[in-house]
Amino acid sequence: MKKVSLLIAMIAFVCGNAFAQFSYDFTGCPEGAKVAQTLGMPWTTWSDNPGSSEDGVFAAVNGDMAAYFANGVDQVVALGEKTAGVYDIEFDVYIEENKIGYFNLMHHFPCNSDQAIQIYLQCTNDGSSSSTTMSDGHGTAHCGSNSSFDLPCRWNDWMHFRIHVDLDMDAAEFYFDDELMHTWQWSLNSFGEDGYSDRTLGGIDFYPPGTSNSAFYVDNVVFTSQGGEQVLIGESFEEYPVGGKIAQSAVAAGHDWWTTWNNNPGGANDGTVSNDYASEGNNSGYFTNASDQVLLLGDYETGVYDLSFDVYTPAGKDGYFNILHAFPASDNGDWAMQAYFNAESDETNNEMWHSTGHGSVHAGGALVADLPCVEDEWMSVRVLIDCDTDQATLFFNEEEIYTWQWSLGSFGDPATRVLAGANFFGPLSTSQFYVDNIQFTKIGGESAPHFVITPENIQETLIEDEFKTVEITIDNQGNSIGDWMGWLDFGEGQGGNNTQVLNYDLDPDIQTGANVSLVGLNTEEPVQIEVGAKFPATAYAGAAMGTKVISAQYTLFEGQDSGMGIVEGTPLIFRIYGQGVNDQPGEILAEKEIPYSSIIANDWNVATFDTPVDITGFDVWVTCSFTQAVGGYPMNFDGGTPVGEGDYYSTGGGFRKCHEVFSTSYGNIHIRMTCQGTPVPATWATIDKNYGSIMGGANDVITLSLNSIGLSELRYEANLVIKTNDEELAEVEIPVVLNYDPDAVEESTLQLASIYPNPAASQVTLEGDNLNSVAIYNVAGQLIRVVKLDSMSNNIEMNVEAGVYFFSIYDNNGRNSVQRVVIVK
């Protein structure tokens, strides 16, 4: 997305966000120069006399350039006499020791005693300038009331101020260091009087309050519109020469929102500017079968956007466009939606054909709608994309066609909420179409998630064979979807060479081919495939927690007439991923390539990583990537029953489970990873969920389960790590401590249910009053499953190995008891 900058007297003035009216961080400003004289409007002085003694200067503080206001300065930032809309005024203030400061907001500028707020910093004031008194740690705020409130100011440190003004609702909020301090009626003056005041927003006045010790610094001044609409891209093609290449002409005109699929403006994929047809003006963009034009939309993940354009297909011709979650795009998961004009495609998009009067739509699923297209007439297309609520709607000729979950790919593949670009492409030999009047608009104000996570630490004491649960609440107080992921980090083991192989697959018989199912994707060209398995903490807690992943293994078998099934000369690429959101891998923690010449057929190919990966509680993914040859069968399964985490694959978009996509279940993928080291105890704590997406104003609750089964030490420690997409709270670590007291006596012998038979072979019965649920744990403290109970009598099948199990039973009043059950075979 284009970033606009304005060069004034060698000062860069850069919009900090899409709705910023202005934003100044004073980087590059010449030290000692006058502020308003250098920057020009909206900077001025009280007497509207830039360059005078009222004009502040640029000065460095702690190595950064800022605006400096000393006694005698009266600096004004004009805000444009706004009478409607919602706005934020933000800036930082720094006051050196034994100095004081002051600023106000005005309803009008020039001002006639109608200040909207007056703020005294490191000093107090009762409403009269003659009574200003220095007071370390205090500041006085007059905001729409004849009473004031105190600000916890400080010397030699930056303080952040934000004033939120809603002129439409006649309301305002005052924030100090991101904490809401006060709300009031905006149209009152600073002392709560009507006077000259109204709903207008006129300006800011930075004024040292009239004494020799008055001086302060201001930086990062931002004035932002929080409502309305803003056109980010408006494209009519009128600026470009007829016959010129679109992206090439746009770049020459200073518009960098056009490129081609292969990022080659002026190349064969670059469409042309035409004056044959136009929905407005004289020109339009003309696309054919050779065209592959991309409109860059900015990679937005929050906010609400409207993309609209007009499209025209002559008789017997057709067209197509898509919207992308990512550009460059790799596969179907990166296509957010696809639409054809006077053309159709099948449900796989592998076949397409001209079809007058119709248009196929793939959006969150295949063939979700048909467009009633016309020839030789302009058709209007509009897509409303709400990243904040994860929803998109397609309109055609002003009629609502279809609404879908935005974070899915065009065929329902898991994707992201990112809005990256639009692609105008000619998929058929009959493809010829014109596009005009493109408009890309941001609707509404800025949006972002804002997380508050409680509690900040957890410490519990358990007696022998006891269970406890603790709830962790994740509140999203922002106005966009918040994504989070979390895990219990148990730390690293020290030394040791204990080796553990983590896998789900059945052992392949290299000689006979037993437990081997070879699979390939039906494609007309080679395709990059990545297969893998996910090992959540519960899968390795008892055997490999705290150890290091040292290697990964995958098998390629030679199939009849297909060799190993991969393109000759291409490698195997092994990867270890960390935990991500929405059941997807996160960052790559290790990667190792085995060149084609070293690949062994009909045996394990082992990749030893240069740097081992510590696994301390997060979901670990092991994958292998290869290039499948046309007709090849390089996906190797064990032919058994898929365990649910052992058969993931990806062709460039998100990872999906093979048994949920393929018409036939082939079992688990023959992929493994080897861990080495000394495991650490990790079965004493589990969480019931480790990722989620939370709408603005909603929350998620994580249930932390603690148990003392089989413990020997008196204290166990871990950290609950939570990562979010909130830039202000990207990562939180909540200490978790379990104190084990084996000598304590349980005060209550409460038993909520009768369990029989006990011992049992396979089925037990629970009877009790007002029962709710039971969580069943093995002797290692691992959660086996949770069963919802009827209020009185319940039969539970125990398809488990022989041993001791613990039933943590809850009733509808929230009471809990733990009872032992012995299973014999």
Side-chain angles (χ1 to χ4, degrees), residues 237-251:
F237 301 96
E238 298 299 312
E239 295 180 62
Y240 312 145
V242 174
K245 294 287 190 177
I246 291 173
Q248 188 177 47
S249 300
V251 171

Side-chain angles (χ1 to χ4, degrees), residues 91-301:
F91 49 86
D92 299 319
V93 174
Y94 185 98
I95 304 177
E96 295 176 317
E97 192 165 350
N98 295 322
K99 303 292 184 182
I100 62 176
Y102 164 96
F103 69 88
N104 67 57
L105 260 63
M106 301 171 283
H107 286 107
H108 295 278
F109 177 73
C111 180
N112 193 1
S113 300
D114 59 348
Q115 287 92 346
I117 67 170
Q118 299 186 66
I119 310 296
Y120 293 82
L121 307 173
Q122 285 294 78
C123 58
T124 58
N125 181 280
D126 63 2
S128 170
S129 60
S130 62
S131 62
T132 301
T133 305
M134 181 185 295
S135 181
D136 181 24
H138 297 280
T140 299
H142 304 290
C143 300
S145 173
N146 57 10
S147 60
S148 62
F149 61 92
D150 183 71
L151 296 177
C153 296
R154 54 192 180 272
W155 280 315
N156 299 322
D157 191 16
W158 285 103
M159 299 173 284
H160 184 68
F161 297 87
R162 177 165 73 93
I163 302 93
H164 178 76
V165 181
D166 189 335
L167 299 176
D168 301 326
M169 300 298 294
D170 193 21
E173 299 171 341
F174 183 91
Y175 292 82
F176 176 77
D177 283 343
D178 296 321
E179 180 180 351
L180 177 62
M181 306 296 292
H182 186 64
T183 61
W184 75 98
Q185 180 183 334
W186 172 253
S187 59
L188 299 176
N189 73 7
S190 58
F191 298 112
E193 303 165 339
D194 290 330
Y196 297 95
S197 304
D198 55 29
R199 293 193 184 189
T200 306
L201 174 58
I204 317 168
D205 179 25
F206 296 107
Y207 172 65
T211 60
S212 60
N213 63 343
S214 298
F216 59 101
Y217 299 85
V218 171
D219 202 357
N220 301 318
V221 181
V222 181
F223 180 42
T224 307
S225 171
Q226 298 298 314
E229 299 182 0
Q230 184 177 16
V231 177
L232 302 177
I233 297 175
E235 182 61 88
S236 64
F237 301 96
E238 298 299 312
E239 295 180 62
Y240 312 145
V242 174
K245 294 287 190 177
I246 291 173
Q248 188 177 47
S249 300
V251 171
H255 301 162
D256 60 0
W257 49 66
W258 284 113
T259 187
T260 67
W261 191 260
N262 57 0
N263 272 315
N264 185 26
N269 292 152
D270 202 349
T272 57
V273 180
S274 171
N275 61 357
D276 292 339
Y277 303 95
S279 64
E280 292 184 7
N282 299 309
N283 296 348
S284 63
Y286 175 55
F287 306 107
T288 68
N289 178 250
S291 303
D292 210 344
Q293 199 87 52
V294 175
L295 179 67
L296 301 173
L297 298 179
D299 291 329
Y300 294 104
E301 192 171 4

Side-chain angles (χ1 to χ4, degrees), residues 683-715:
T683 58
W684 54 272
T686 58
I687 53 177
D688 67 334
K689 63 174 71 173
N690 61 0
Y691 65 85
S693 295
I694 312 173
M695 299 291 291
N699 66 63
D700 254 353
V701 175
I702 302 172
T703 298
L704 168 69
S705 296
L706 302 171
N707 75 87
S708 59
I709 297 172
L711 299 188
S712 57
E713 304 295 328
L714 300 181
R715 183 181 175 90

